[in-house]
Structures are given as C-alpha cells and as structure tokens.
C-alpha cells in the first residue's frame, strides 16, 4: 500500500477547527462513495459527514490514513478499534493520547506511534515506558522522549546515548550520577560511531588485529564478504577502528563492530 500524501498546513488547521465546530454540514443523504472521496482528499472532512458515515469503518479508515487525528472525529468506538488506531498512529503518533487504554498497552501500536513521534511515549502504558526497544525507538525519533521513560531506562547508558545523539539537551533527563560521564558528553557522543542495538547501520566483522612494525594491522569484512585492510597507530582505540570503517562504507553515520570470536556487537 502506498503511503498517504502528508496533510497540508491548511488541512491541519481545518482539522483543528473541526474539533471545535458545530454540527456536521454535509447532507445526511450524502452518498458513501462521495464520503470516501471527501475523506481521501482531506481526512478532516469526516467531521462534515452524518453520524452513520462517521460510524462506517471503511470511511473512518480512509480518513485516518489521510490524517491520523481524524480518528477523534469518528464514532468513539473507533478509539478502541486496533486496526483503525494502528493506521492513525502511523500518521500521527501522538494520537495515542486519545485511544483506549488497552491500545496504549498494545506493544505494536505503541511501537508504531513512537516511531512516528517519540513524544507519543508519554501516552504509553507504564509497562511499555519500561520496554527498552520501545524507548530506544522513541529517543531515536525525539531525544527529549527520554523524560517519559522508566527510571531504569533513564539510567541506561545506551538509551541515554541514543537520546543525546538526537538532542544533546536530553542529557538533563538522565540521573545526576551519570550525567558527568564522558561517554555521554555531547562532544564525545558526536565522535562515537558505534551503533546501539536496533540502529540501522552496516555491520563489520574484525577478523584480524595484529601488531606490525608500523602499528596495528586491522582486517575487517562486511556481511557481504568484502574485505577492508589498514594499519592504524598502536594507540588506536575501538572507536578509531569504527571511524575508519565508516569511511570505507562512504558514510558519516554509525557502524556495528563484531570482534573475532564474539557473537554480539561491541558496545558503544
């Protein structure tokens, strides 16, 4: 299914007005096909439909695929309809604030919401604000979402690192006892190329580290088998290896490093 066209600013303003407007203006005899055409063009046209069409599941689905907050203009039972809500939060994650409590506790729904808007974490059920994967996705979208995480995850250095990568001011939401750590200082975060689990990043396996007359020879392979070889100074760190490898990948982003004999990537 193709992604819906993003709503224009004028449509967003229209939707905001619709929430506070008077009774619907469309004639009750409006046809279902006309209703579908209207909401596919502007999700907030749902407000102008008669009650029976705002209770029509296909019409509501079409509206929220166009503009997530249109779910607030539908019959209230759709706030507990999983498929409708999932479509809505994929468009506008913060719609999560309005939906039924059981959907605020639905892991798939919450993941979709925080991937669209990290701020949606604020409206997730308490147990999901302590779910590491969900919190990581939220802070990758919006570092400030760290403030809505469980106390345990606010103290998780990798979670905080991801939040600070997105917004260095997010560090203020971490516990005092870890704020001063060099790993989490903005200047060090910017220079740290090692990916945290769940990031989208290339993976390199270090197959050989050997002392040579000129330094340390490093041999690495991509998952596709491509070999990269260089000699780094003897003082080089794992971070230096990662920085060299990302230049080989032609990027300035993050990389995963697997050391020989280890099954899990190196921690940042």
């Amino acid at each position: 299914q193709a992604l819906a066209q993003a709503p224009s600013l004028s449509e967003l303003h229209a939707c905001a007005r619709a929430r506070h407007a008077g009774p619907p203006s469309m004639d009750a005899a409006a046809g279902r096909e006309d209703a579908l055409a209207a909401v596919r063009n502007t999700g907030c046209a749902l407000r102008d439909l008669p009650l029976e069409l705002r209770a029509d599941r296909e019409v509501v689905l079409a509206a929220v695929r166009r503009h997530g907050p249109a779910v607030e203009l539908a019959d209230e039972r759709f706030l507990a309809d999983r498929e409708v809500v999932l479509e809505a939060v994929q468009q506008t994650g913060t719609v999560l604030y309005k939906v039924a409590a059981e959907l605020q506790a639905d892991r798939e729904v919450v993941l979709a919401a925080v991937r669209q808007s990290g701020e949606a974490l604020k409206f997730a059920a308490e147990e999901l604000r302590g779910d590491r994967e969900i919190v990581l996705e939220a802070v990758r979208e919006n570092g400030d979402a760290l403030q809505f995480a469980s106390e345990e995850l606010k103290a998780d250095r990798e979670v905080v690192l991801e939040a600070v990568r997105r917004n260095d001011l997010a560090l203020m939401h971490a516990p005092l006892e870890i704020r001063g750590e060099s790993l989490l200082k903005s200047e060090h975060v910017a220079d740290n190329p090692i990916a945290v689990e769940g990031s989208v990043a290339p993976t390199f396996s270090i197959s050989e580290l050997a002392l040579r007359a000129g330094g340390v020879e490093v041999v690495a392979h991509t998952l596709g088998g491509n070999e990269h070889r260089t000699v780094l100074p003897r003082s080089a760190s794992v971070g230096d290896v990662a920085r060299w490898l990302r230049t080989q990948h032609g990027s300035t982003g993050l990389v995963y490093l697997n050391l020989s004999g280890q099954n899990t990537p190196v921690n940042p």
Side-chain angles (χ1 to χ4, degrees):
Q1 180 183 322
L3 291 176
Q5 179 184 352
S8 64
L9 286 177
S10 61
E11 182 177 346
L12 294 175
H13 290 309
C15 282
R17 291 195 303 271
R19 294 189 192 100
H20 305 289
S25 60
M26 187 175 284
D27 191 294
R32 191 167 181 273
E33 291 305 313
D34 288 342
L36 282 167
V39 299
R40 284 169 179 157
N41 180 60
T42 302
C44 291
L46 192 64
R47 180 254 161 195
D48 293 324
L49 301 181
L51 288 174
E52 60 266 30
L53 288 174
R54 283 187 280 144
D56 184 304
R57 196 164 185 275
E58 185 180 356
V59 172
V60 173
L61 274 169
V64 300
R65 283 171 180 152
R66 184 66 179 86
H67 185 54
V71 71
E72 298 179 51
L73 305 173
D75 185 284
E76 65 179 14
R77 68 187 171 89
F78 290 110
L79 295 171
D81 184 309
R82 190 175 187 276
E83 183 182 2
V84 170
V85 168
L86 194 53
E87 292 283 355
V89 299
Q90 286 172 345
Q91 294 290 330
T92 308
T94 51
V95 166
L96 191 67
Y97 90 98
K98 189 75 172 178
V99 307
E102 63 265 26
L103 293 178
Q104 293 174 336
D106 183 305
R107 194 169 186 278
E108 184 182 358
V109 169
V110 173
L111 262 176
V114 300
R115 283 171 175 157
Q116 199 286 322
S117 171
E119 186 183 354
L121 184 64
K122 178 179 181 178
F123 310 113
E126 182 177 359
E127 63 269 23
L128 294 183
R129 286 186 274 118
D131 182 306
R132 195 169 189 270
E133 182 185 359
I134 286 175
V135 172
L136 279 169
E137 291 291 339
V139 300
R140 284 177 183 133
E141 199 288 318
N142 181 344
D144 266 347
L146 182 64
Q147 66 186 296
F148 307 122
S150 67
E151 294 304 311
E152 179 182 359
L153 290 179
K154 285 179 185 176
D156 183 311
R157 288 164 177 79
E158 290 188 356
V159 171
V160 177
L161 174 64
E162 289 293 81
V164 175
R165 277 175 169 160
R166 189 65 175 157
N167 178 357
D168 57 9
L169 295 179
L171 188 59
M172 67 183 288
H173 303 304
L176 281 171
E177 59 266 26
I178 68 171
R179 289 185 200 173
E181 295 185 6
S182 60
L183 170 72
L184 302 176
K185 295 291 187 182
S186 58
E187 62 271 21
H188 294 144
V189 168
D191 197 40
N192 185 343
I194 300 177
V196 172
E197 180 183 3
S199 300
V200 177
T203 298
F204 292 91
S205 295
I206 309 300
S207 56
E208 184 178 346
L209 291 170
L211 288 175
R212 304 296 185 210
V216 178
E217 183 178 25
V218 181
V219 180
H221 293 85
T222 65
L223 292 178
N226 294 327
E227 182 178 281
H228 299 278
R229 184 184 296 263
T230 192
V231 176
L232 296 175
R234 292 195 176 198
S235 60
S237 66
V238 172
D240 292 323
V241 175
R243 280 184 282 276
W244 164 66
L245 285 170
R246 74 178 177 183
T247 64
Q248 303 306 297
H249 187 258
S251 76
T252 57
L254 305 175
V255 297
Y256 287 110
L257 285 186
N258 286 330
L259 298 181
S260 179
Q262 293 188 355
N263 295 322
T264 57
V266 172
N267 291 327

